[in-house]
């Protein structure tokens, strides 16, 4: 943060310096169920997107990124349209999201930076939240954390065009150090679960595959649609009132209905639903294991979630699957899975920190050899659980 503040002073001659720390997130259990109104878990990491900013009273937004070229600049009265793939979309989306309900008079001059690689850790949600918080701050707007989740989510779904759920934003905003954030994506009720007594600290290994693609360019949206069709078919087969296909979600199907009629679903729709219902059970069992401090069971459920993501939800890519398989079988790893959607980016493992060296050695002996194309980009990180997004005193 210090470096960023110095840069802000240098670039904008700023005197009123403010900052937001917006953490990256992982999802230990509850993969691809948020968009179906399911129950998800998430934690924030001690690695974040940092935004240092100063208010601009001329209504302009000027943002420089330490990680991407060019500067984003526009006036709040004329927010430009989305440009596919541009990092500047998130500040534009954040402004538009708030403008639906508030008059924004003040802009920000800011510098933004992140440490871990892009992909699978929800840097997009993290940066959007940081912009929203900064805009609220300089315009004296007070909103609740749950509202912040919704404003941030609007940017991804309505401005960027991703059909995702609220997992990323909930984990990024609501998380607390050492707790498991559990969100019910239908009711928007959430809990922060304490972990039971454990024999040692826990950490997560984050293995970056070297592949960064924005989610909108993957099969993500297609899978969401397949889940909707699956839900709609289950409504039809079981003679329930038919919903509008767009609104149809697997959460609206009772697990017993799935048990009774799943054999009538065509192949991939059956697999998507099987993933959803089994993942919901894993989330519930996982919460209990977490509360008991039973890392072994929790890890086992993570492995099963990873397997279901690969075989039932059919996401992932060969590189991520290599990491997943390697982590699963490494000493000191309780369980592994994709960090998020699983099409690119990172795999995570819940680990005993005493085994860090061994885990890194095992990964190094497998991944770069099997996927030499990514040997210079691939990276192993270790992270702890941290607090959700917050204003940071400079
Ligand atoms: C991405 C999406 C989330 C969620 C996960 C998979 O991170 O943005 O909404 O669907 O994938 O669980």
């Amino acid at each position: 943060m210090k470096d960023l503040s110095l840069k802000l002073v240098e670039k904008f001659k700023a005197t009123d310096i403010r900052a937001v720390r917006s953490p990256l997130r992982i999802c230990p259990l509850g993969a691809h169920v948020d968009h179906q109104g399911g129950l998800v878990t998430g934690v924030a990491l001690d690695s974040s997107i940092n935004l240092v900013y100063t208010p601009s009273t001329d209504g302009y937004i000027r943002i420089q990124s330490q990680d991407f070229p060019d500067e984003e600049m526009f006036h709040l009265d004329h927010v430009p349209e989305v440009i596919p793939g541009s990092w500047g979309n998130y500040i534009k989306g954040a402004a538009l999201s708030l403008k639906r309900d508030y008059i924004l008079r003040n802009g920000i001059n800011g510098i933004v930076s992140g440490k871990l690689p892009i992909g699978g850790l929800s840097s997009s949600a993290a940066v959007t939240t940081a912009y929203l918080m900064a805009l609220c701050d300089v315009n004296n707007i007070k909103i609740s954390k749950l509202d912040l989740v919704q404003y941030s989510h609007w940017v991804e779904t309505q401005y960027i065009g991703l059909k995702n759920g609220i997992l990323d934003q909930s984990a990024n905003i609501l998380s607390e150090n050492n707790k498991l954030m559990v969100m019910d994506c239908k009711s928007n009720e959430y809990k922060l679960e304490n972990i039971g007594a454990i024999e040692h600290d826990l950490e997560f290994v984050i293995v970056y595959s070297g592949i960064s693609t924005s989610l909108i360019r993957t099969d993500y949206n297609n899978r969401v649609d397949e889940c909707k069709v699956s839900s709609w078919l289950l409504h039809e087969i079981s003679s329930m009132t038919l919903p509008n296909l767009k609104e149809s979600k697997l959460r609206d199907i009772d697990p017993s209905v799935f048990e009774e009629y799943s054999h009538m679903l065509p192949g991939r729709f059956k697999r998507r639903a099987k993933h959803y219902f089994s993942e919901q059970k894993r989330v519930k069992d996982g919460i209990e294991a977490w509360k008991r401090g039973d890392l072994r069971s929790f890890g086992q459920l993570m492995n099963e979630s990873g397997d279901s993501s690969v075989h039932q939800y059919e996401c992932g890519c060969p590189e991520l699957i290599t990491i997943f398989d390697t982590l699963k079988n490494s000493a000191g790893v309780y369980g592994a899975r994709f960090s998020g959607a699983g099409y690119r980016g990172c795999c995570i493992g819940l680990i005993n920190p005493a085994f860090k060296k061994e885990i890194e050695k095992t990964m190094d002996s497998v991944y770069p050899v099997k996927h030499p194309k990514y040997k210079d980009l691939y990276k192993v990180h270790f992270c702890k659980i941290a607090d959700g997004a917050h204003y940071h005193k400079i």
Side-chain angles (χ1 to χ4, degrees):
M1 284 280 192
K2 274 261 144 59
D3 277 10
L4 285 187
S5 327
L6 292 176
K7 288 199 169 111
L8 191 80
V9 173
E10 195 184 310
K11 182 160 172 62
F12 296 107
K13 312 279 166 275
T15 48
D16 178 1
I17 302 170
R18 312 178 188 189
V20 174
R21 183 183 180 283
S22 189
L24 299 170
R25 72 91 191 91
I26 54 172
C27 169
L29 285 170
H32 293 288
V33 295
D34 59 345
H35 48 73
Q36 296 306 299
L39 202 60
V40 296
T41 71
V43 299
L45 301 176
D46 60 353
S47 181
S48 56
I49 300 282
N50 297 327
L51 171 69
V52 174
Y53 61 97
T54 187
S56 79
T57 45
D58 59 5
Y60 271 92
I61 304 262
R62 298 174 195 87
I63 304 284
Q64 203 174 61
S65 164
Q66 296 290 95
D67 311 299
F68 298 101
D70 299 334
E71 183 180 302
E72 190 61 49
M73 182 176 117
F74 60 92
H75 194 276
L76 281 167
D77 287 347
H78 305 282
V79 182
E81 292 198 357
V82 68
I83 300 174
S86 160
W87 66 270
N89 287 334
Y90 298 103
I91 178 63
K92 294 184 280 182
L96 284 178
S97 184
L98 282 174
K99 275 181 63 161
R100 292 173 303 144
D101 296 325
Y102 298 96
I103 295 169
L104 303 183
R105 293 191 205 288
N106 295 323
I108 51 174
N109 294 326
I111 302 191
V112 68
S113 167
K115 259 207 213 110
L116 288 195
I118 306 294
L121 301 173
S122 258
S123 50
S124 51
V127 79
T128 307
T129 299
Y131 293 143
L132 285 166
M133 288 174 67
L135 284 171
C136 283
D137 174 32
V138 300
N139 287 289
N140 214 2
I141 297 167
K142 308 265 176 267
I143 57 175
S144 69
K145 285 188 179 185
L146 278 175
D147 283 345
L148 190 54
V149 168
Q150 297 304 331
Y151 282 109
S152 188
H153 185 231
W154 183 93
V155 177
E156 296 249 52
T157 54
Q158 306 305 310
Y159 189 66
I160 308 286
L162 197 66
K163 299 182 179 180
N164 64 351
I166 56 170
L167 161 74
D168 305 342
Q169 296 77 15
S170 308
N172 162 249
I173 293 166
L174 306 170
S175 290
E176 278 181 21
N177 194 5
N178 287 328
K179 295 188 179 163
L180 183 70
M181 191 283 311
V182 181
M183 170 58 93
D184 180 328
C185 300
K186 185 172 181 185
S187 67
N188 288 345
E189 279 164 19
Y190 74 100
K191 276 191 173 168
L192 293 162
E193 300 286 9
N194 282 310
I195 191 159
I198 43 176
E199 286 158 20
H200 55 75
D201 286 349
L202 64 81
E203 278 188 37
F204 286 94
V205 59
I206 316 281
V207 183
Y208 174 57
S209 60
I211 307 170
S212 289
T213 319
S214 66
L215 216 44
I216 195 121
R217 296 162 114 183
T218 69
D219 247 356
Y220 185 90
N221 278 354
N222 293 336
R223 288 287 178 285
V224 175
D225 289 344
E226 287 167 358
C227 288
K228 288 184 181 177
V229 171
S230 179
S231 158
W232 193 90
L233 288 172
L234 283 164
H235 276 87
E236 195 194 28
I237 300 167
S238 64
S239 310
M240 288 164 72
T241 312
L242 284 181
N244 175 320
L245 179 59
K246 269 194 172 168
E247 258 85 74
S248 182
K249 293 191 171 160
L250 284 164
R251 177 69 182 264
D252 300 329
I253 303 289
D254 194 84
S256 62
V257 171
F258 169 69
E259 286 302 321
E260 191 175 345
Y261 298 101
S262 69
H263 66 281
M264 293 169 76
L265 286 173
R268 71 192 149 121
F269 300 110
K270 182 172 162 183
R271 291 195 291 280
R272 307 303 175 251
K274 193 168 171 195
H275 170 76
Y276 175 86
F277 289 104
S278 63
E279 188 71 0
Q280 287 303 263
K281 174 148 181 12
R282 283 187 286 273
V283 170
K284 288 179 187 156
D285 292 347
I287 296 168
E288 293 313 312
W290 179 268
K291 292 202 283 197
R292 290 195 306 273
D294 181 354
L295 297 181
R296 251 167 258 289
S297 303
F298 193 89
Q300 181 55 33
L301 290 162
M302 287 174 69
N303 288 340
E304 287 167 19
S305 165
D307 284 332
S308 177
S309 296
V310 175
H311 301 293
Q312 307 301 333
Y313 203 76
E314 294 174 290
C315 62
C317 59
E319 293 82 1
L320 278 194
I321 294 172
T322 299
I323 302 175
F324 171 54
D325 287 339
T326 312
L327 283 180
K328 246 189 337 187
N329 298 311
S330 300
V333 178
Y334 290 106
R337 45 162 272 103
F338 305 143
S339 59
Y343 291 100
R344 77 293 183 251
C346 305
C347 260
I348 57 166
L350 173 64
I351 65 155
N352 177 345
F355 286 79
K356 279 187 192 174
K357 280 216 173 86
E358 273 115 308
I359 295 168
E360 189 159 5
K361 222 165 138 195
T362 310
M363 277 314 313
D364 284 350
S365 68
V366 177
Y367 191 75
V369 181
K370 210 164 170 195
H371 303 285
K373 190 175 163 194
Y374 298 107
K375 72 176 177 10
D376 297 330
L377 293 167
Y378 139 89
K379 226 166 169 57
V380 179
H381 300 272
F382 294 96
C383 288
K384 292 188 175 134
I385 301 182
D387 283 333
H390 53 275
Y391 295 104
H392 180 91
K393 264 223 162 87
I394 290 287

